Amino acid sequence: MKKYFALALLTLLAGALYAQDIALEEDPPYNRQTGYGINLNSNAGLIGGGMIKHTRSINNQMYHLFYLDVVNVRHPKEQRAQSRLSGESFIPGKQNHLLLVRPQYGRELILFRRAAEQGVQVAASFSAGPTLAVIAPYLIEYRFGSGNIRLEQYDPNRHPSFDQVVRTSRFGESLSQSTFGFGGSVRSAVAFEFGNFRTNVTGVEAGFMADFLAQRVIMMPLAENKQNYFSIFVNIYYGSRN
């Protein structure tokens, strides 16, 4: 945990030093910017979720940052298997899905500003806010006997044999039975924005995210489960500015 806070602090300090080299201007080159994109992170699969990033100018170097992402969290022990009864895939031992919804506020500091028509702009940011944990049950169809198949949340006491799993439900069906948890999150990142348009922007942002939940989420009851989550993430986004 300490190393993530140290890295975040170093990012901010480095940004403050580099920002001294930016030439002062009477007005910021743009007043606001909004970007939408996908999130890839070390706690999820190939694509972790989606994100929205909005900034508003304070001065020519500093911007208000409003950030929102919704990401899926996978347990590191998750592995897919095929049902011997139907051939469909499922995750043995999984009891709950976990989605994290993170609205955050912070500041973005311009380190290097791109030219008016082309080039790369580099910015550092830090933000924090609440975390909403959406805990959706992992539902499986389980055969208890001939002709006795029930759709239930996986429970190792009720479902001792993975050979009797028929299939899993659709995610939307699980989501409709969700419960919720709460916590907080902090985020530190560096963004690289490029393009050759004055009003459009394409960006790649990389950084660290830490989530601290008020409760331990049981994703896989037969494995170790966490209350706090740390991840490295990359956002790829496209947006507009004015």
Side-chain angles (χ1 to χ4, degrees):
M1 185 187 306
K2 293 181 180 178
K3 69 178 181 180
Y4 287 96
F5 284 115
L7 286 169
L9 182 59
L10 287 174
T11 299
L12 293 178
L13 291 176
L17 292 174
Y18 279 119
Q20 295 177 2
D21 296 330
I22 300 176
L24 295 177
E25 303 172 10
E26 292 183 0
D27 298 304
Y30 58 92
N31 292 318
R32 61 184 62 191
Q33 175 178 299
T34 303
Y36 307 87
I38 59 173
N39 171 278
L40 301 89
N41 68 79
S42 57
N43 286 338
L46 180 61
I47 297 179
M51 51 78 63
I52 302 173
K53 176 183 176 183
H54 178 76
T55 57
R56 294 181 182 178
S57 64
I58 299 174
N59 54 48
N60 69 311
Q61 297 180 23
M62 188 75 70
Y63 286 77
H64 296 288
L65 170 63
F66 303 91
Y67 180 86
L68 172 67
D69 71 1
V70 180
V71 300
N72 175 53
V73 178
R74 295 179 60 188
H75 194 284
K77 297 293 186 180
E78 288 186 18
Q79 291 187 345
R80 287 200 166 271
Q82 277 192 324
S83 167
R84 298 182 63 180
L85 300 177
S86 67
E88 295 191 23
S89 66
F90 71 102
I91 302 173
K94 186 177 179 71
Q95 189 173 69
N96 286 297
H97 300 279
L98 175 60
L99 294 177
L100 299 181
V101 182
R102 310 180 183 111
Q104 294 185 334
Y105 170 77
R107 297 294 176 91
E108 182 170 82
L109 179 66
I110 306 301
L111 306 182
F112 298 102
R113 196 176 298 285
R114 73 177 185 173
E117 296 295 338
Q118 60 185 353
V120 178
Q121 175 175 287
V122 183
S125 64
F126 183 84
S127 56
T131 296
L132 172 65
V134 182
I135 306 165
Y138 189 73
L139 302 176
I140 59 171
E141 279 191 358
Y142 192 86
R143 187 176 69 176
F144 290 93
S146 179
N148 185 12
I149 298 176
R150 303 176 192 172
L151 180 64
E152 301 178 340
Q153 181 182 23
Y154 169 72
D155 183 331
N157 296 317
R158 282 184 55 80
H159 313 115
S161 174
F162 296 133
D163 289 342
Q164 301 306 312
V165 176
V166 180
R167 68 172 185 91
T168 64
S169 71
R170 295 180 179 180
F171 180 68
E173 189 173 358
S174 297
L175 197 61
S176 66
Q177 302 181 33
S178 297
T179 58
F180 302 96
F182 299 93
S185 63
V186 293
R187 167 184 172 277
S188 177
V190 176
F192 302 86
E193 297 179 349
F194 52 92
N196 55 4
F197 304 99
R198 291 177 181 269
T199 58
N200 295 331
V201 60
T202 301
V204 177
E205 183 179 50
F208 303 92
M209 182 78 77
D211 292 279
F212 308 95
L213 302 183
Q215 66 185 73
R216 188 181 303 273
V217 178
I218 306 301
M219 298 174 66
M220 299 187 72
L222 300 179
E224 181 182 0
N225 294 275
K226 300 178 181 178
Q227 184 172 347
N228 303 320
Y229 298 87
F230 305 95
S231 62
I232 301 170
F233 70 88
V234 175
N235 291 328
I236 302 172
Y237 58 91
Y238 177 82
S240 60
R241 58 171 53 155
N242 55 51

